[in-house]
Amino acid sequence: MANIVMFAILAVVILSSAVLCVTTTRIMRAATFMLFVLFGVAGLYFLLDYTYLGAAQISVYAGGVTMIYIFAIQLVNKRTLQGLKERIHIGRAVTAGLVTLVSLIVVLAVMLKNELICRACEVADTEVPMGVIGQALLGSEKYQYVLPFEFISVFLLACIIGGIVVARKEEKK
């Protein structure tokens, strides 16, 4: 019963922080809410007794990636950040809602067609050994994830550097 209560608390923290992260107009608050989301996900790992993944989540994502974002935000000129407030247009909001709804319907249709929801329930009943998870995360064979992680890290670094270059570019007079 305690696990269900902890899961409910973590779910509320993660969902509310995620919503606040994408709806706030202040960029430092968004980074802080993203940090709360990452800590909540680490809490889920600890709840599942995956202490290694929880510690990796805190050290790599909550510690490293969030700090990189905060440093990148701090390096950007304040004049650039002042113009970030945007008014919500009704047409854009309706279009975004429709695109989100259509995307959700497509994803659910694909999951139902391929019976992924039923398979997920079957897989959740079996315990996966930590060695299998570690091999899947750090292996370079088919269906293993070390290369996608490396590509994503290089891509994020390029995005941050590009954002800094664009923000620091001074107009010639």
Side-chain angles (χ1 to χ4, degrees), residues 93-109:
V94 170
T95 304
L98 289 175
V99 167
T100 304
L101 185 64
V102 168
S103 301
L104 178 67
I105 290 170
V106 168
V107 167
L108 288 176

Side-chain angles (χ1 to χ4, degrees), residues 24-151:
T24 186
T25 58
R26 305 226 176 200
I27 195 159
M28 287 303 289
R29 287 184 185 168
T32 304
F33 289 131
M34 183 181 74
L35 182 66
F36 289 148
V37 170
L38 294 174
F39 275 130
V41 171
L44 288 178
Y45 287 141
F46 286 126
L47 189 64
L48 293 171
D49 287 331
Y50 289 138
T51 55
Y52 176 76
L53 288 177
Q57 175 78 15
I58 290 174
S59 64
V60 173
Y61 291 106
V65 173
T66 305
M67 290 306 120
I68 288 173
Y69 284 141
I70 290 174
F71 285 136
I73 290 166
Q74 292 296 327
L75 287 174
V76 174
N77 193 349
K78 283 189 177 183
R79 284 181 277 163
T80 305
L81 291 177
Q82 288 174 353
L84 289 181
K85 291 188 179 180
E86 183 177 316
R87 301 203 188 279
I88 298 175
H89 300 288
I90 301 295
R92 284 186 185 175
V94 170
T95 304
L98 289 175
V99 167
T100 304
L101 185 64
V102 168
S103 301
L104 178 67
I105 290 170
V106 168
V107 167
L108 288 176
V110 168
M111 289 178 73
L112 289 174
K113 181 179 182 289
N114 293 324
E115 298 176 358
L116 292 176
I117 295 173
C118 296
R119 289 185 198 160
C121 295
E122 293 171 7
V123 172
D125 292 338
T126 61
E127 185 173 335
V128 179
M130 193 57 146
V132 173
I133 293 173
Q135 185 65 31
L137 288 175
L138 299 175
S140 60
E141 301 293 323
K142 188 175 183 180
Y143 302 118
Q144 294 177 346
Y145 298 106
V146 75
L147 289 176
F149 281 152
E150 291 299 322
F151 287 134

Side-chain angles (χ1 to χ4, degrees), residues 143-166:
Y143 302 118
Q144 294 177 346
Y145 298 106
V146 75
L147 289 176
F149 281 152
E150 291 299 322
F151 287 134
I152 288 171
S153 67
V154 170
F155 177 72
L156 286 174
L157 179 64
C159 289
I160 290 171
I161 291 172
I164 291 171
V165 168
V166 168

